[in-house]
Amino acid sequence: MSAPENVPPAADPAHGVPSATTAAPDSGAAPAFAPAEGAAPAFAPAEGAAPARKLPRAVGVALATAGLLAVTATSAAVTVAVGKPDARPAAAAPATAGPTVSASPTAPASATPTPSAVPTTVAPVPKPASTVKGTVSGGRHDGDLRYFLLPIPDGGESYGPADGMTMSDEEVSELFGNQDGIMRILKSYGYKEAATRMYRTADGKAEVTVTLLHFGSAAQAGDFAKNHTMKLDPIDIDGDPNAHGYVNKPKQQAYTGSMTGISSQGDVQYTIDVDVKGNPDKALLSELMKRQREWLSSGG
């Protein structure tokens, strides 16, 4: 999809907000899981799905500041299927043969019992310890931004590096449809860096993408989150007082539905996208948003 033709000016440095209004086209729906050949669709694309690309989700974003600016952008990404590693049980140790005893001419032979095989116990392989570190104090986050991504729950499978990925300016720009001047607009809010991670839940029923944008101050992150909207049906987010959310219900239960939650904590704005089969349950998104807020507040 082409970027909008009209690009809004950057924020006024004195106020940290943009100063003009520009509208842009609607975003497309996100791609989803593709069914196996001949099988009923499990995660099928919603009608009008955007072409695939490398970032994790489709996000249509509008940034509006005090009614002065509206920027709508689009992005779409391919869902990566990650196969589970083959389970290879450890081989048991071979049985140890007992010694052979010969009969004595002066005494009856006594049989020596053959020792039984000793079972082999294989210790579970520990997960590799992450070297990513970060600290938080007074709402200010320092260190590696990836540290503050919501931890993957037990049994979840990461798509890509388990620690998540930092995002280049080019990748961040793709989130907003590569609109001309979008990085200038973001940096007018004090934008510094971004990180993202996508994983599949242990039950295989949902895919979760967490994206963090780091800003110069809590006020700038809060303004960005407040004015970050989507042209979808709004939903309430429980457990996160600063959050607002959106839902995209599929026309058929065999297709993919999606939810998005947007909020901020300290100088970090966070977005959580959830793809599920059928109509999404907002309770899942609310729980994820609450946990992400707590993680950013305490740093673990």
Side-chain angles (χ1 to χ4, degrees), residues 208-259:
V208 178
T209 303
V210 181
T211 303
L212 306 182
L213 300 181
H214 194 192
F215 290 89
S217 68
Q220 289 171 315
D223 285 344
F224 187 89
K226 179 177 65 176
N227 299 304
H228 182 162
T229 63
M230 301 180 70
K231 293 182 177 179
L232 294 172
D233 295 332
I235 54 174
D236 295 330
I237 303 293
D238 300 323
D240 188 336
N242 295 337
H244 55 282
Y246 302 89
V247 63
N248 182 23
K249 296 180 180 180
K251 293 182 178 180
Q252 299 181 29
Q253 287 300 304
Y255 283 22
T256 298
S258 63
M259 299 176 289

Side-chain angles (χ1 to χ4, degrees), residues 4-15:
E5 294 181 1
N6 298 319
V7 180
D12 184 343
H15 303 286

Side-chain angles (χ1 to χ4, degrees), residues 11 14 29-30 34-35 75 82 112 136 142-143 146 148 156 205 235 246 280 289:
S75 70
V82 178
T112 301
V136 57
D142 294 304
R146 294 175 297 166
F148 298 103
K205 294 182 178 179
I235 54 174
Y246 302 89
M289 293 292 288

Side-chain angles (χ1 to χ4, degrees), residues 238-240 285-294:
D238 300 323
D240 188 336
L285 178 60
S286 292
E287 177 63 23
L288 292 171
M289 293 292 288
K290 177 183 176 182
R291 288 171 48 207
Q292 178 65 79
R293 182 177 183 83
E294 292 171 348

